[in-house]
């Protein structure tokens, strides 16, 4: 049996120390090979054309040719998955990079402790491997519009889970929902704590929904989107006869924080057969156990199909449980939710 060729990576960073560190971390895996380094975007672009790497890692702040310009030029000349390595102090820059076609991002550790470097190594290798899967498929973006409204009826609640490739997928889903402003959307996106608020603020600026990072006691309202805070969970609870969000801290043993399994389980308890959850692109199996509880409560589970999922891990795992009602490409999930929301609204009128 022929061994699979290693994933060829080009590292671009103006810091020699950072290049050396990333090269060492990537080189720790047998299935990954660093084929070159570059200290700015101009040199990086030349090396992409010369070396044809499978994946590129890039810092956004570089001399001569910055990260944004590099992404624009790369997209037009030699489309290649790019993983942005960004500091915690530049959250909004990351989302602009995703809009320009970056595959994903990783936050630089604030202190280079052995534990932080090991965490960086694991995440870096996971996303480099995921980018190879994405290269075999393809997917991405669109545009937006519309206004919201409120009423006292309990809103139509949709819970969405996503990981790698999720930010643009969530954006596209909300864009498609923009023609029907009554849903309340709960988003569990795997993302570091310092980035979820910036993600919510960005979505709030570009669409009709009111998007916020979830806080303790938030009330479920139509036309509102709540993003689970990174490093914590988001669960649905009933308090004083009304539904509210709670954001408990993670506990030892939690694999994901936020956790789609925790969110889905709470929705199954509180909404029963009115529960509807959607699993989008992502690595791992988060959401599969919670999906079983949604099904047992009489609710519905939908999943993104392989043809559009950047990484088919999470959707595939939830489909494998046998409880998924609908498997749809990303572009059809939003319109299908609009139909469901309008049907529900008509039944209440």
């Amino acid at each position: 049996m022929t061994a699979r060729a290693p994933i060829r990576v080009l590292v671009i960073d103006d810091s020699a120390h950072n290049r050396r560190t990333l090269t060492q971390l990537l080189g720790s895996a047998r299935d990954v090979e660093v084929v070159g380094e570059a200290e700015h975007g101009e040199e990086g672009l030349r090396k992409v054309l010369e070396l044809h790497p499978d994946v590129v890692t890039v810092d956004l702040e570089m001399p001569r040719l910055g990260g944004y310009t590099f992404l624009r030029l790369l997209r037009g000349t030699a489309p290649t998955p790019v993983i942005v390595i960004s500091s915690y102090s530049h959250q909004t820059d990351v989302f602009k990079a995703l809009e320009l076609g970056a595959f994903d991002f990783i936050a630089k550790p604030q202190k280079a402790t052995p534990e932080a470097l090991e965490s960086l190594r694991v995440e870096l290798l996971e996303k480099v491997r995921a980018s190879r899967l994405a290269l075999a498929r393809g997917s991405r973006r669109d545009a937006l519009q519309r206004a919201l409204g409120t009423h006292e009826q309990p809103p139509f609640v949709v819970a969405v889970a996503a990981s790698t490739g999720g930010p643009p997928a969530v954006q596209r889903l909300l864009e498609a929902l923009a023609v029907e402003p009554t849903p309340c959307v709960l988003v569990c996106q795997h993302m570091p704590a310092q980035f979820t608020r910036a993600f919510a603020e960005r979505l709030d600026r570009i669409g009709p929904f009111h998007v916020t990072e979830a806080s303790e006691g938030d009330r479920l309202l139509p036309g509102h989107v709540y993003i689970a805070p990174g490093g914590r969970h988001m669960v649905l609870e009933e308090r004083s006869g009304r539904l509210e969000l709670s954001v408990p801290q993670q506990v030892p043993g939690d694999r994901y924080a936020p956790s789609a399994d925790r969110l889905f389980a709470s929705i199954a308890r509180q909404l029963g057969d009115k529960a509807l959850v959607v699993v989008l692109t992502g690595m791992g199996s988060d959401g599969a156990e919670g999906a079983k509880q949604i099904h047992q409560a009489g609710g519905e589970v939908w999943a993104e199909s392989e043809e559009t999922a950047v990484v088919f891990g999470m959707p595939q795992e939830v489909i494998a449980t046998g409880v998924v009602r609908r498997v749809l490409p990303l572009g059809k999930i939003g319109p299908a939710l609009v139909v469901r929301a309008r049907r529900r609204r008509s039944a209440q009128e």
Side-chain angles (χ1 to χ4, degrees):
M1 183 173 163
T2 305
R4 193 176 188 187
I7 305 167
R8 305 171 73 254
V9 184
L10 174 66
V11 175
I12 309 175
D13 197 302
D14 63 325
S15 163
H17 172 74
N18 288 346
R19 292 197 304 273
R20 186 165 55 251
T21 299
L22 291 171
T23 297
Q24 289 172 350
L25 296 178
L26 289 163
S28 68
R30 292 183 180 180
D31 61 336
V32 177
E33 176 189 3
V34 176
V35 295
E37 299 178 11
E39 61 179 296
H40 50 72
E42 188 176 301
E43 181 186 9
L45 201 59
R46 282 201 309 272
K47 290 202 171 182
V48 168
L49 297 173
E50 172 192 334
L51 300 170
H52 305 290
D54 298 314
V55 191
V56 175
T57 71
V58 67
D59 184 21
L60 290 177
E61 294 186 351
M62 298 182 292
R64 297 182 64 168
L65 188 71
Y68 297 142
T69 305
F70 171 80
L71 285 167
R72 289 190 189 96
L73 293 173
L74 183 69
R75 186 166 60 178
T77 56
T80 307
V82 175
I83 298 171
V84 171
I85 314 289
S86 175
S87 69
Y88 279 107
S89 60
H90 295 88
Q91 301 103 315
T92 55
D93 294 350
V94 162
F95 299 110
K96 183 176 178 182
L98 291 173
E99 287 182 343
L100 291 172
F103 170 71
D104 210 330
F105 74 92
I106 296 172
K108 290 179 183 175
Q110 293 173 307
K111 292 184 179 179
T113 63
E115 295 79 9
L117 288 175
E118 174 59 16
S119 178
L120 175 61
R121 186 187 74 85
V122 170
E123 185 177 8
L124 183 61
L125 291 172
E126 282 183 347
K127 292 188 175 180
V128 163
R129 289 166 180 144
S131 68
R132 169 181 262 180
L133 296 175
L135 198 57
R137 297 189 185 97
S139 72
R140 248 34 175 177
R141 296 179 223 308
D142 265 25
L144 35 154
Q145 281 159 353
R146 187 121 182 138
L148 53 94
T150 57
H151 52 54
E152 287 305 309
Q153 294 268 21
F156 172 52
V157 178
V158 179
V160 177
S163 183
T164 303
V170 169
Q171 176 183 330
R172 186 173 173 191
L173 181 62
L174 294 181
E175 291 170 4
L177 275 173
V179 296
E180 174 55 49
T182 58
C184 172
V185 185
L186 309 179
V187 177
C188 176
Q189 166 68 53
H190 294 168
M191 192 176 282
Q194 290 85 345
F195 287 86
T196 45
R197 178 164 295 179
F199 181 43
E201 290 171 350
R202 175 177 164 275
L203 290 175
D204 187 57
R205 286 195 300 272
I206 63 177
F209 292 100
H210 180 52
V211 186
T212 59
E213 184 184 56
S215 299
E216 188 70 29
D218 277 345
R219 213 176 141 194
L220 297 192
L221 296 172
H224 281 57
V225 177
Y226 302 93
I227 307 294
R232 301 178 76 95
H233 298 293
M234 177 171 68
V235 296
L236 188 58
E237 295 185 353
E238 183 180 346
R239 294 172 179 164
S240 303
R242 71 181 189 186
L243 294 175
E244 294 182 352
L245 294 175
S246 179
V247 287
Q249 293 185 341
Q250 66 184 114
V251 297
D254 282 343
R255 187 173 179 190
Y256 304 102
S259 162
D261 283 329
R262 290 276 295 270
L263 174 61
F264 289 0
S266 71
I267 289 172
R269 287 193 300 271
Q270 302 303 335
L271 298 182
D273 61 2
K274 294 182 176 61
L276 198 163
V277 303
V278 181
V279 179
L280 301 179
T281 173
M283 292 168 46
S285 61
D286 190 26
E289 288 302 316
K292 294 177 187 176
Q293 296 183 50
I294 293 289
H295 177 71
Q296 289 167 2
E300 288 189 37
V301 181
W302 296 7
E304 183 179 359
S305 64
E306 185 173 8
E307 66 188 276
T308 61
V310 175
V311 180
F312 194 49
M314 282 171 57
Q316 185 175 44
E317 290 290 335
V318 78
I319 291 168
T321 65
V323 305
V324 172
R325 180 80 61 88
R326 305 187 72 176
V327 179
L328 298 168
L330 180 60
K332 292 187 177 180
I333 294 174
L337 290 173
V338 168
V339 171
R340 180 61 59 85
R342 288 178 173 169
R343 193 179 299 158
R344 184 180 187 275
R345 180 155 51 87
S346 296
Q348 290 178 333
E349 290 173 349

